C-alpha cells in the first residue's frame, strides 16, 4: 500500500517537473515579457524577454527586484491598485501603463495579470508587452489628425473628404459662410447633389482620371448655394490609396470660391467682344463700304454682347398730348435669316412706358432684368416675353432722336457698366451718322 502511494507521488512530481520545464521553455521562447511575483510584488522569476525589455543585465537581475521598480510615477497608483486587486478566479484584463527602464528609457507597456499557484505558494503571473512604438504612432496620428482638423476648421477654403463613390464623409465649417449649409447637412450625401448639372461630367471624368492612376487633379465647377444660385470653385483633389492594393480609399479636396475672379474674367471677355464689335461697327459706319451699314452694325453689336435682339427706334412726340410714339427703324434677331433687313416705318414692336421714354429723352439709359422692375414696367416686359432689356438714347445735334435697344428672351442678365458705356458711345456715333443723313436729305 505504501509503495503505491510513493509511486503515485513520484508520478505527480514527474508531471510537475515536466510541466515546469514546458512552462520555462514557453516563457523563454516568448517575445513578451513574463514575470512571476509574490503577493508583495517581489520578482520570483522573469524570462529573458522581460529582462531585455527593462534593460536589466545579469548582475542587476540577481538583486531583489519588485514589479514597482520600473513603473513611472504617473502610473504608480494605477499599477498598485491593479496589482493588489488580483484575486484567485478573477480573470485579468489588459492594462496600459507608463514605464521606465533601468537606463531611464521611457516606454508604454501593456500588461495582463492573473493569480496562480507557483511552487505551492500563491503568486501573480504578469505578461508584459512593449507597446511604445504603437502608442507613439497612435499619438502622432492623433496629433496629425488634430492639426489637420484645426487647419480644416479654420481654413477660408472649403475642405472635404469623399469616397470613390462621391459620398461626402467630411466637410469643413467654411461651407457655412460660403455656401450657406451646415456641415452636417451635407455629410452622407452625394457630391453631385450640390454640383451644377452641366458640370457633372467634369466630376465624373475626374473620378475616372483618379482610378487610372492620377493622384492630383485640378477642377473648375459650379456648386449650388443654399439660396439656389451657383458659385464657381477651383478645387485641388488628392487621392488617398491603400498602399497594399493601390485602390482608392478616399479623396481629399480643397475648394476655393473663384466666383469674383470668374465673373471678372467673363466681364473682361465680354468687354473685349463688345470693343471688337464696336470697332467693326464703327468701320461699317465711317468707311461707307456699305450703302446702308446700320443692319450690319446691329448684327455685329448684337452678336458681340450676346443679345437675342437688337433694334433702333425713332421716337416721335405727339404735339397734342406730348406723348411719345416710338417707330421701329431697324431690327435684328439672333439666328434669323432676314436679320439684316431694315424695317422702315414699321409699327412699334415694343411697348415702352411713357416713364421710360421720358427718361430716354433726358439722356438717361434704361437697363435691367425683369425681376429688377416692378409694377407696370415689369408687366410690360412680361407681356413682351422679355427677361432683360437695355435701351440707350440717341441724340442728333444735341436733341433726343430715339434709341438703340437690346433684349434677351431667356436670360435675366445684369448689364456690365463697360457694356453700357460702349453702347452709349455707339449711340453717339449713330447720332452723328443720322445727323449727316438728315443734312444730306435737307440739301
Amino acid at each position: 500500500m505504501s509503495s503505491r502511494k510513493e509511486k503515485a507521488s513520484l508520478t505527480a512530481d514527474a508531471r510537475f517537473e515536466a510541466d515546469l520545464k514546458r512552462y520555462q521553455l514557453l516563457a523563454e521562447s516568448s517575445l513578451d515579457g513574463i514575470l512571476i511575483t509574490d503577493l508583495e510584488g517581489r520578482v520570483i522569476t522573469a524570462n529573458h524577454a522581460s529582462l531585455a525589455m527593462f534593460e536589466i543585465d545579469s548582475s542587476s537581475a540577481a538583486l531583489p527586484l519588485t514589479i514597482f521598480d520600473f513603473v513611472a510615477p504617473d502610473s504608480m497608483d494605477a499599477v498598485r491598485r491593479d496589482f493588489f486587486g488580483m484575486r484567485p478566479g478573477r480573470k485579468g484584463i489588459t492594462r496600459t501603463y507608463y514605464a521606465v527602464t533601468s537606463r531611464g528609457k521611457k516606454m508604454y507597456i501593456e500588461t495582463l495579470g492573473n493569480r496562480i499557484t507557483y511552487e505551492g505558494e500563491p503568486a501573480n503571473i504578469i505578461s508584459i508587452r512593449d507597446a511604445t512604438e504603437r502608442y507613439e504612432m497612435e499619438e502622432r496620428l492623433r496629433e496629425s489628425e488634430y492639426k489637420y482638423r484645426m487647419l480644416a476648421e479654420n481654413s477660408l477654403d472649403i475642405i472635404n473628404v469623399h469616397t470613390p463613390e462621391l459620398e461626402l464623409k467630411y466637410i469643413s465649417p467654411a461651407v457655412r459662410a460660403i455656401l450657406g449649409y451646415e456641415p452636417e447637412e451635407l455629410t452622407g450625401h452625394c457630391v453631385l447633389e450640390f454640383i451644377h448639372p452641366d458640370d457633372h461630367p467634369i466630376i465624373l471624368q475626374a473620378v475616372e482620371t483618379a482610378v487610372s492612376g492620377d493622384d492630383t487633379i485640378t477642377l473648375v465647377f459650379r456648386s449650388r448655394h443654399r439660396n439656389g444660385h451657383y458659385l464657381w470653385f477651383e478645387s485641388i483633389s488628392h487621392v488617398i490609396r491603400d498602399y497594399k492594393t493601390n485602390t482608392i480609399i478616399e479623396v481629399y479636396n480643397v475648394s476655393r470660391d473663384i466666383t469674383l475672379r470668374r465673373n471678372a474674367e467673363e466681364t473682361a471677355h465680354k468687354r473685349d467682344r463688345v470693343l471688337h464689335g464696336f470697332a467693326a461697327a464703327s468701320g461699317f459706319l465711317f468707311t461707307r463700304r456699305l450703302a446702308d451699314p446700320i443692319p450690319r452694325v446691329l448684327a455685329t453689336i448684337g452678336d458681340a454682347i450676346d443679345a437675342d435682339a437688337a433694334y433702333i427706334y425713332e421716337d416721335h412726340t405727339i404735339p397734342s398730348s406730348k406723348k411719345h410714339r416710338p417707330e421701329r427703324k431697324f431690327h435684328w434677331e439672333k439666328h434669323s435669316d432676314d436679320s439684316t433687313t431694315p424695317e422702315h416705318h414699321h409699327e412699334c414692336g415694343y411697348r415702352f412706358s411713357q416713364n421710360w421714354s421720358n427718361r430716354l429723352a433726358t439722356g438717361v439709359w434704361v437697363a435691367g432684368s425683369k425681376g429688377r422692375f416692378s409694377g407696370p414696367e415689369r408687366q410690360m416686359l412680361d407681356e413682351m416675353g422679355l427677361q432683360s432689356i437695355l435701351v440707350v438714347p440717341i441724340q442728333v445735334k444735341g436733341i433726343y432722336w430715339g434709341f438703340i435697344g437690346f433684349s434677351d428672351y431667356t436670360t435675366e442678365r445684369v448689364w456690365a457698366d463697360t457694356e453700357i458705356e460702349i453702347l452709349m458711345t455707339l449711340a453717339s456715333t449713330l447720332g452723328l451718322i443720322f445727323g449727316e443723313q438728315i443734312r444730306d436729305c435737307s440739301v
Side-chain angles (χ1 to χ4, degrees):
M1 189 73 175
S2 173
S3 176
R4 285 199 300 269
K5 288 183 178 179
E6 289 176 359
K7 186 176 181 179
S9 176
L10 288 173
T11 303
D13 289 343
R15 286 199 302 268
F16 176 78
E17 288 295 330
D19 289 342
L20 183 59
K21 286 181 180 179
R22 281 195 294 269
Y23 158 74
Q24 289 173 339
L25 179 62
L26 181 64
E28 288 305 321
S29 301
S30 174
L31 295 176
D32 292 336
I34 299 176
L35 301 173
I36 296 179
T37 73
D38 64 17
L39 299 188
E40 297 301 318
R42 289 181 288 269
V43 177
I44 299 172
T45 184
N47 70 345
H48 178 75
S50 62
L51 297 178
M53 187 182 304
F54 291 110
E55 300 181 312
I56 302 171
D57 56 31
S58 57
S59 59
S60 58
L63 300 175
L65 299 174
T66 73
I67 193 67
F68 309 111
D69 290 341
F70 305 104
V71 177
D74 48 357
S75 290
M76 186 63 73
D77 290 343
V79 169
R80 288 187 174 277
R81 180 194 65 229
D82 296 335
F83 180 84
F84 292 114
M86 284 189 278
R87 295 289 184 271
R90 180 186 294 178
K91 186 177 181 180
I93 60 174
T94 302
R95 304 287 191 182
T96 302
Y97 308 112
Y98 201 28
V100 181
T101 71
S102 64
R103 298 178 184 176
K105 176 184 174 183
K106 295 179 180 179
M107 60 189 298
Y108 286 100
I109 58 172
E110 286 183 345
T111 69
L112 177 64
N114 283 289
R115 178 63 56 83
I116 63 170
T117 298
Y118 182 73
E119 295 183 344
E121 297 292 334
N124 290 333
I125 183 169
I126 303 169
S127 298
I128 303 172
R129 176 170 295 174
D130 184 353
T132 305
E133 184 176 351
R134 193 185 82 225
Y135 270 81
E136 286 180 348
M137 184 171 19
E138 291 176 354
E139 186 66 29
R140 288 194 297 270
L141 180 60
R142 283 192 294 270
E143 183 178 350
S144 176
E145 289 177 346
Y146 172 76
K147 290 179 179 178
Y148 158 75
R149 189 166 292 275
M150 289 295 292
L151 287 171
E153 294 187 355
N154 291 279
S155 173
L156 297 177
D157 297 329
I158 295 177
I159 297 173
N160 72 70
V161 179
H162 64 71
T163 66
E165 295 74 31
L166 298 177
E167 179 186 350
L168 279 169
K169 307 302 291 184
Y170 169 82
I171 190 161
S172 64
V175 72
R176 185 184 299 117
I178 298 174
L179 288 174
Y181 298 99
E182 292 297 325
E184 54 270 19
E185 291 182 79
L186 305 184
T187 52
H189 288 265
C190 178
V191 171
L192 295 179
E193 293 181 34
F194 310 97
I195 303 296
H196 194 288
D198 291 348
D199 295 338
H200 285 189
I202 297 173
I203 306 299
L204 296 175
Q205 180 60 49
V207 174
E208 292 183 13
T209 302
V211 170
S212 67
D214 197 342
D215 287 347
T216 303
I217 305 165
T218 301
L219 306 173
V220 175
F221 58 89
R222 287 162 290 181
S223 188
R224 188 180 70 248
H225 191 277
R226 187 186 184 92
N227 293 337
H229 64 278
Y230 285 88
L231 299 177
W232 282 97
F233 286 89
E234 183 178 67
S235 180
I236 299 177
S237 300
H238 298 279
V239 177
I240 310 299
R241 299 181 185 273
D242 185 301
Y243 74 96
K244 293 181 180 178
T245 65
N246 203 40
T247 57
I248 299 175
I249 301 173
E250 58 188 20
V251 181
Y252 174 94
N253 307 280
V254 180
S255 300
R256 175 163 296 181
D257 181 2
I258 60 167
T259 305
L260 292 178
R261 189 185 84 192
R262 186 83 178 196
N263 288 344
E265 291 172 351
E266 289 183 357
T267 298
H269 178 66
K270 288 180 181 178
R271 180 197 61 205
D272 291 342
R273 279 174 56 91
V274 175
L275 283 171
H276 286 302
F278 175 72
S282 299
F284 294 138
L285 290 172
F286 290 111
T287 59
R288 301 183 183 277
R289 287 178 295 172
L290 298 174
D292 191 353
I294 305 301
R296 184 66 65 85
V297 168
L298 283 183
T300 301
I301 295 297
D303 183 66
I305 66 173
D306 197 26
D308 290 328
Y311 37 84
I312 294 176
Y313 280 76
E314 184 177 358
D315 199 354
H316 301 281
T317 303
I318 303 173
S320 59
S321 62
K322 294 187 179 181
K323 290 185 178 181
H324 295 271
R325 184 178 63 81
E327 176 188 5
R328 188 166 69 181
K329 309 295 287 185
F330 300 93
H331 181 78
W332 168 87
E333 290 223 13
K334 185 187 294 185
H335 307 310
S336 176
D337 292 337
D338 59 347
S339 60
T340 58
T341 302
E343 299 187 21
H344 298 283
H345 309 294
H346 193 282
E347 285 294 318
C348 178
Y350 292 96
R351 297 187 300 277
F352 291 90
S353 68
Q354 290 298 310
N355 179 43
W356 282 5
S357 294
N358 292 334
R359 288 186 62 185
L360 293 167
T362 61
V364 179
W365 46 263
V366 175
S369 60
K370 184 174 67 175
R372 292 174 176 262
F373 294 105
S374 60
E377 293 171 346
R378 181 170 184 173
Q379 182 180 355
M380 178 182 64
L381 291 177
D382 196 40
E383 290 174 353
M384 290 190 293
L386 302 183
Q387 297 299 317
S388 56
I389 192 169
L390 168 61
V391 183
V392 176
I394 298 173
Q395 293 187 343
V396 175
K397 297 182 178 181
I399 300 173
Y400 174 59
W401 176 88
F403 53 84
I404 180 172
F406 304 89
S407 298
D408 276 324
Y409 301 138
T410 58
T411 306
E412 290 198 25
R413 66 187 287 175
V414 176
W415 303 91
D417 291 341
T418 53
E419 292 177 312
I420 296 173
E421 291 170 3
I422 292 171
L423 296 176
M424 288 286 285
T425 303
L426 175 62
S428 298
T429 304
L430 289 171
L432 293 174
I433 298 299
F434 295 152
E436 289 184 2
Q437 291 177 349
I438 292 173
R439 184 194 62 191
D440 292 343
C441 290
S442 63
V443 174

